[in-house]
Amino acid sequence: MDTKSNNTNSSDDDGALRPSAEELVSLLPQSSRQERSFAYWVDKQLQMRDSDRKWWRPLSAAVVGGTTTLMGALVRLTFRKVVVEDLHKLTDLLDDDARGRPVVTVANHQSTMDDPVMWGLLPMRIKWNPDRMRWTLGARELLYMNPLTNAFFALGQTVPTVRGDGIYQLAVEIALKRLNENKWVHVFPEGRVNQDPELLRFKWGVSRMIMESDRTPIVIPMYFSGMSSVLPLGQPSPIPRLNPFKNNLYVKAGDPIDFSLQVEQWKAERAKLVSADEIARLDEQVRVSIAEQLRASVARLNPDANQKSCQTGA
């Protein structure tokens, strides 16, 4: 039973036929200049042709490398103390040309600037190489607002996501396309900025990516803190609060997680089922299980939570 959907028509969990990724692009409205621009860049992200790569790669390197390098420099002006733990667990994978599998990173989400700040801490050899740098998902309504921002974020390897459109939307299809090319995809599975100590429920789009990628990705959980004091929710101005005498930044990468066995068991069990309802229930159970495991793995990286756990245990 085919579980892939990013190349051909497939069925939803309820058995209804859904359009392919290419058909989703063709259905995008193009009545205005903004709509035509958006459809153009999304099509480029989905279907990278050889003729496109000649100009895409240097422009993407300039946008991704330039932005993250700038953010890396600003970190020094923004934070009193920067603590980075075990980032080599990610960079070792990205540097391994013989890896043979894609990479997925998941992290908590404290501010709209988390992505460029986090990856500003990566070494230059990765930041300026778009083949090794992350693809990520970002809210369409916040990022893809006009033809200029369309080009910037598309070249910045940020896939437009529509909140509420579910796990079969075009953004997830593009992410699967990148994973099937052994690329790195980063996801903030909470789905929105959350500055509370407790993580929100992780959404299932990342579960689908892990389950339906041609080769099960290697997953690196990450925890990130410090940006809530720079861009606190509810502040009247969107201008960051730069205070190098007060703010602290903390980034930690966790151990790799391999879901290969769980995915293989899911595929084997799925192949035995006939009823669309049974398949839907199984798919949902596995998505929930993976999302809960990811959430727990990110939560364990929070040093404050670990400290409280140790105090409680004592």
Side-chain angles (χ1 to χ4, degrees):
M1 185 177 296
D2 183 18
T3 60
K4 301 292 186 293
S5 64
N6 51 318
N7 293 320
T8 58
N9 294 79
S10 293
S11 297
D12 284 324
D13 295 339
D14 61 3
L17 194 67
R18 64 176 183 269
S20 68
E22 290 76 12
E23 288 172 330
L24 288 174
V25 171
S26 70
L27 293 172
L28 290 172
Q30 298 193 38
S31 58
S32 69
R33 182 185 175 208
Q34 161 63 2
E35 290 175 342
R36 289 190 295 273
S37 168
F38 178 79
Y40 171 85
W41 287 108
V42 170
D43 179 64
K44 293 301 180 188
Q45 286 189 329
L46 178 67
Q47 306 179 75
M48 186 62 62
R49 301 166 182 86
D50 290 339
S51 58
D52 296 328
R53 295 181 190 276
K54 296 177 182 178
W55 58 265
W56 177 285
R57 194 176 187 282
L59 291 177
S60 182
V63 172
V64 178
T67 302
T68 53
T69 299
L70 175 62
M71 288 299 166
L74 288 177
V75 161
R76 302 186 185 94
L77 302 175
T78 306
F79 296 98
R80 178 179 66 88
K81 184 179 180 181
V82 177
V83 177
V84 181
E85 295 184 359
D86 299 330
L87 193 60
H88 69 89
K89 293 176 180 178
L90 172 62
T91 57
D92 288 350
L93 286 172
L94 302 179
D95 283 332
D96 183 5
D97 293 329
R99 186 177 66 234
R101 293 166 64 183
V103 174
V104 167
T105 50
V106 293
N108 60 310
H109 197 14
Q110 286 201 338
S111 82
T112 55
M113 295 294 291
D114 287 352
D115 180 84
V117 171
M118 285 178 71
W119 310 134
L121 300 171
L122 289 171
M124 290 288 188
R125 68 180 183 277
I126 293 176
K127 285 191 287 193
W128 287 88
N129 185 342
D131 294 327
R132 293 187 178 180
M133 269 300 285
R134 62 91 189 101
W135 284 76
T136 192
L137 281 65
R140 175 181 174 177
E141 73 274 14
L142 298 178
L143 306 180
Y144 284 74
M145 298 181 293
N146 56 62
L148 182 60
T149 60
N150 292 348
F152 179 83
F153 286 105
L155 290 167
Q157 302 187 165
T158 301
V159 180
T161 308
V162 179
R163 293 166 177 168
D165 272 13
I167 65 172
Y168 294 108
Q169 65 174 289
L170 186 55
V172 179
E173 303 295 345
I174 294 174
L176 276 168
K177 184 92 168 182
R178 297 289 83 80
L179 291 174
N180 290 340
E181 297 169 350
N182 270 16
K183 304 295 186 183
W184 164 28
V185 172
H186 176 73
V187 183
F188 293 107
E190 291 178 284
R192 64 178 176 86
V193 171
N194 171 35
Q195 296 182 351
D196 294 333
E198 184 174 354
L199 297 176
L200 301 174
R201 176 186 70 82
F202 277 20
K203 298 187 180 297
W204 300 345
V206 67
S207 301
R208 183 183 168 220
M209 295 176 203
I210 292 168
M211 293 163 66
E212 297 190 20
S213 177
D214 289 347
R215 292 169 295 279
T216 304
I218 303 168
V219 181
I220 302 289
M222 301 189 70
Y223 186 81
F224 185 62
S225 67
M227 289 300 293
S228 58
S229 61
V230 178
L231 285 168
L233 286 174
Q235 71 172 2
S237 171
I239 299 174
R241 297 180 179 179
L242 306 181
N243 189 340
F245 303 103
K246 179 181 178 181
N247 299 328
N248 295 321
L249 182 68
Y250 178 78
V251 179
K252 181 176 177 63
D255 293 327
I257 305 173
D258 190 351
F259 287 99
S260 296
L261 180 59
Q262 186 171 355
V263 170
E264 289 305 315
Q265 290 173 340
W266 162 68
K267 289 179 179 179
E269 184 65 26
R270 200 177 195 271
K272 299 175 186 177
L273 302 178
V274 176
S275 164
D277 290 339
E278 291 179 323
I279 292 173
R281 282 194 295 270
L282 175 63
D283 290 352
E284 182 172 326
Q285 288 171 2
V286 178
R287 288 185 200 123
V288 170
S289 173
I290 290 177
E292 290 178 345
Q293 291 175 68
L294 293 174
R295 183 178 181 275
S297 69
V298 172
R300 283 193 294 269
L301 299 176
N302 181 350
D304 294 334
N306 289 335
Q307 185 177 11
K308 291 178 182 179
S309 177
C310 291
Q311 291 172 349
T312 303

